[in-house]
Amino acid sequence: MGTEIKLKGDRVIEKIPSIKDKALRINLNEHIYGTFAEIGAGQETVRHFFRSGGSSGTIAKAMSAYDKDFSDAVYGIEKDGRYVTESRLKKMLSHEVNLIEQRLSREKHPNKMFFSYANTVATIDFAKQYKGHGWVGISYQIEPDEAYNEIILHIRFKETDAKLQQETLGTLGVNLIYGAFYKYNDPKRLLRYLYDHLDKDQLEIDTINFSGPRFADVDNRLMSLQLVKNGMTDAVMFNPDGKNILPAAILYKKNILALRGSFRPVTKVNMDMYEKSLRMFEKENKVDKDNTLVIFEITLSNLRSDGEIDERDFMDRAELLCSLGQTVMISNFQEYYKVVEYFANYTKARMGLAMGVNNLVDIFDEKYYRHLSGGILEAFGKLFYRDMKVFLYPMLDENGVLMDSNNLKVHPRMKELYKFFKFNGKVIDVVDYDPENLSVFSREVLKMISQGTPGWEPMLPLGIAEIIKEHHLFGYEPANVLQ
C-alpha cells in the first residue's frame, strides 16, 4: 500500500502516507514504546511494525492469547462467557498498561510515552454465514507523566474472506495507532484517517468512544454523528448518559418502539405520543414489558440546514432527549422500511413505530420508492411483513378537523393498499391522547424561542424550558425576550 493522494478537482489537497510509512514513523519515534495484544485474527497489526523496520524501539511485547483458557488465565473470565466484547477489550488494555508500568522503570525510560494496543475479534465463520466483528482500542500517553488516553471502537467486517478481514484489521490498527499519536488534537480528522487505504465496503465502524485528558472536551455523541455523516455506518446510538453504545448489544432480541422526529425541540406532543404509544405497545401480545426498548430516532436529513449539518443544533437536541432519559439513534435511513430492516438484523421480537398522521401519509407516497425495482410494494413488504405495528397519533387539519386512521387522505391509487394494512391491524389509533397537544408544533416553538416571543415554555415537557434557558439552546437569548 503506497502513498495515496487525495484530489479536489485537479488540486492535491492531501498526501496519505502508506501503511508501511505510518508504522515506520511510529517505530522511529524514540519516545513511543508499548505492547500489542491481539485475539482472534492473528497478530495482524503488530506485523506491520515488525516488517517496517526499527521495531525494537517501539515494541516491548507482542502477544496473542488465542486459546480461550490462556486468555481467561491472563485477562479473567467474562460474566457472559463471551470474548469479543467491549468489557474484554477494556480488561486487555487495563491489564497490559498495568504490566508496562510494573515492568518498565520510569527512571530507565523517563521520556517514554507508553501505549497498549489491543483487539479482540471474530472473523468470518467457515460456513460464511457470520461475517464477524470486533473491538479495537488503544490506551496511550502523549506526555510521559500524563494520564492515559483511550480510543475504543467497534467494527463489523463486510468482506467474505477471513484472510482479507485479517489484512483489513491490520491496516485499521496501524491507522488507529498513527492517528492516536499524530492526529489526537483533531478527533474528527482522526476518524476519517481510520479509513486510509481502506474502503467503506471492507469495514464498518459503528461505535467509538474517546476518553482521557487529551479528549476531555470531546463529546462522544458528536463523534457518533461523524460516523454516520462520513458514511462509516448507517446508524449510531447513545444512552441517556450521553455514552455511545453498540446498537447490536442494546437491540438484541428486544421489543422495540421507535419514534422518529426532528425533536427541535422535543415538545409535549412528542412525549405524549411516546407515553401513550408505549402503554399500548406493552399491552400487545408477544411484547415483554421488561424487554422493551424505546428509541428516539433522528435522521441525518433532519439534521441538515442548507445542505450542511449544524452540529450545535444536533447537540442541543441530544442534550434535551438525554435529559428526559431517552435512548437516541442517529441514522441515514430516510424511509421507514429501512429503519425496520435495521432493527430486524438484531431482533425478531415485535416492533412498533409511533408517528403522526402526516408521517403515515408520507409512507404511502410512491415517490419515495422509485429507486426500488418493486416500488412501494417492495417497501411495504419489508415494512409490514415483519411483526410490526404503527401507533398513529392524530392531528388537526387546516380546518380544525381531527384526522386519524379512519379519515386520513392517501393518494387514490394507495387507498386499497392502505385499507389492507389497516384492516389487518397494522395501524392502530392512539385514542387517549391529550387534545391540548394537537395545537403544539415544534417549528412554531422553535421560532418563538429564537425570536424571543414569550409563551413557548408550557408547550414543552417539564424541565425542558429551564435547560434551554440555562444553556441558551436553539438560539435562546434572555435579551431577545419581547417586553
Side-chain angles (χ1 to χ4, degrees):
M1 294 179 183
T3 301
E4 288 184 359
I5 298 176
K6 287 187 178 180
L7 299 174
K8 190 171 185 179
D10 296 326
R11 182 167 54 93
V12 175
I13 58 173
E14 190 173 11
K15 289 185 178 180
I16 302 173
S18 68
I19 292 301
K20 180 180 180 180
D21 287 344
K22 286 187 175 186
L24 182 60
R25 184 179 177 188
I26 292 287
N27 283 349
L28 295 180
N29 187 325
E30 62 182 14
H31 302 303
I32 299 175
Y33 198 57
T35 65
F36 294 76
E38 305 185 66
I39 297 179
Q43 294 184 291
E44 292 303 311
T45 300
V46 74
R47 71 183 177 91
H48 287 289
F49 293 88
F50 278 127
R51 290 179 176 181
S52 66
S55 60
S56 61
T58 298
I59 304 171
K61 182 188 76 170
M63 67 170 289
S64 180
Y66 211 86
D67 181 85
K68 291 181 179 180
D69 292 334
F70 269 83
S71 182
D72 288 342
V74 176
Y75 302 116
I77 300 174
E78 298 298 315
K79 291 181 180 178
D80 58 10
R82 296 188 296 158
Y83 293 85
V84 186
T85 64
E86 183 179 17
S87 62
R88 188 57 156 200
L89 180 74
K90 286 186 173 182
K91 283 183 180 178
M92 292 171 70
L93 290 173
S94 176
H95 177 84
E96 298 300 336
V97 164
N98 286 337
L99 285 183
I100 292 174
E101 293 291 349
Q102 290 171 19
R103 294 176 178 176
L104 299 180
S105 168
R106 281 291 180 184
E107 292 182 1
K108 184 177 179 181
H109 303 285
N111 299 316
K112 294 292 187 186
M113 301 181 295
F114 291 148
F115 77 91
S116 179
Y117 167 86
N119 65 53
T120 175
V121 172
T123 53
I124 193 167
D125 64 343
F126 187 75
K128 296 188 183 297
Q129 293 180 338
Y130 177 75
K131 287 188 178 180
H133 73 114
W135 287 92
V136 181
I138 183 171
S139 186
Y140 70 107
Q141 297 175 301
I142 292 299
E143 296 291 343
D145 57 350
E146 184 180 78
Y148 284 79
N149 304 285
E150 204 165 79
I151 306 173
I152 290 178
L153 54 103
H154 181 264
I155 62 173
R156 291 192 174 280
F157 293 112
K158 294 186 177 182
E159 295 165 309
T160 56
D161 179 85
K163 182 181 178 183
L164 293 177
Q165 290 183 354
Q166 290 171 338
E167 292 174 354
T168 293
L169 177 66
T171 300
L172 174 73
V174 176
N175 286 338
L176 175 61
I177 296 169
Y178 184 85
F181 282 105
Y182 294 116
K183 305 296 179 183
Y184 64 85
N185 58 343
D186 192 347
K188 289 181 187 177
R189 292 182 70 188
L190 191 158
L191 273 183
R192 294 197 299 273
Y193 290 142
L194 292 177
Y195 276 88
D196 284 358
H197 310 288
L198 293 173
D199 207 86
K200 303 286 172 47
D201 59 7
Q202 293 176 271
L203 185 75
E204 174 185 354
I205 301 174
D206 58 4
T207 305
I208 192 161
N209 280 296
F210 294 80
S211 60
R214 296 289 170 162
F215 303 120
D217 296 329
V218 173
D219 192 306
N220 282 308
R221 292 170 295 187
L222 195 54
M223 293 301 103
S224 265
L225 174 62
Q226 300 304 313
L227 293 180
V228 182
K229 179 181 175 182
N230 295 340
M232 298 174 180
T233 189
D234 288 325
V236 292
M237 298 179 69
F238 49 87
N239 65 16
D241 296 327
K243 184 181 185 301
N244 294 338
I245 49 180
L246 180 64
I250 196 170
L251 297 173
Y252 186 63
K253 292 187 177 180
K254 288 285 199 307
N255 294 117
I256 300 170
L257 177 66
L259 295 84
R260 168 176 287 188
S262 62
F263 308 114
R264 193 175 184 246
V266 57
T267 65
K268 282 186 175 179
V269 175
N270 301 131
M271 298 312 292
D272 195 44
M273 185 186 300
Y274 147 65
E275 291 166 2
K276 303 302 167 54
S277 297
L278 178 60
R279 190 180 304 164
M280 295 171 67
F281 184 60
E282 290 176 343
K283 291 179 181 178
E284 289 279 313
N285 292 331
K286 305 182 185 177
V287 174
D288 179 357
K289 180 178 179 180
D290 296 327
N291 192 45
T292 296
L293 175 69
V294 178
I295 297 171
F296 281 64
E297 185 220 4
I298 306 175
T299 65
L300 212 59
S301 58
N302 260 334
L303 292 172
R304 297 190 188 279
S305 175
D306 299 324
E308 294 296 323
I309 292 176
D310 186 335
E311 294 179 353
R312 179 64 259 172
D313 183 73
F314 160 72
M315 290 306 302
D316 289 353
R317 297 189 235 183
E319 196 73 32
L320 296 183
L321 289 171
C322 287
S323 73
L324 291 169
Q326 301 304 327
T327 298
V328 180
M329 181 169 92
I330 309 298
S331 82
N332 64 2
F333 306 127
Q334 286 193 299
E335 299 88 358
Y336 274 101
Y337 77 85
K338 290 185 178 179
V339 180
V340 174
E341 272 192 315
Y342 180 77
F343 292 150
N345 290 327
Y346 307 110
T347 183
K348 290 181 172 59
R350 174 157 289 180
M351 289 180 266
L353 295 175
M355 66 179 71
V357 169
N358 278 341
N359 298 114
L360 186 59
V361 171
D362 281 345
I363 285 179
F364 281 86
D365 192 329
E366 291 180 284
K367 71 181 181 183
Y368 296 111
Y369 313 108
R370 288 170 184 157
H371 62 288
L372 296 176
S373 58
I376 193 169
L377 292 179
E378 180 182 340
F380 274 49
K382 294 176 178 179
L383 179 62
F384 288 111
Y385 171 75
R386 295 182 172 85
D387 195 2
M388 197 280 298
K389 291 187 177 182
V390 169
F391 296 90
L392 190 65
Y393 198 85
M395 65 169 283
L396 294 175
D397 70 7
E398 62 273 13
N399 299 315
V401 177
L402 186 72
M403 305 291 292
D404 59 18
S405 70
N406 297 305
N407 62 348
L408 61 80
K409 295 177 175 59
V410 298
H411 193 281
R413 286 201 303 269
M414 297 295 108
K415 280 186 178 180
E416 294 305 315
L417 184 62
Y418 170 70
K419 286 180 183 178
F420 172 80
F421 290 112
K422 175 173 169 51
F423 291 122
N424 278 280
K426 293 292 189 180
V427 180
I428 305 172
D429 285 305
V430 174
V431 292
D432 57 344
Y433 59 90
D434 185 345
E436 292 185 6
N437 290 332
L438 298 183
S439 59
V440 176
F441 299 95
S442 288
R443 62 181 179 275
E444 293 183 7
V445 174
L446 181 66
K447 187 177 180 180
M448 293 173 73
I449 293 173
S450 61
Q451 293 183 353
T453 305
W456 52 270
E457 294 90 342
M459 302 179 192
L460 307 184
L462 190 65
I464 294 300
E466 287 72 20
I467 296 175
I468 291 175
K469 291 178 178 179
E470 181 181 351
H471 297 285
H472 294 198
L473 308 184
F474 303 113
Y476 172 82
E477 291 294 341
N480 289 346
V481 178
L482 298 175
Q483 302 299 319

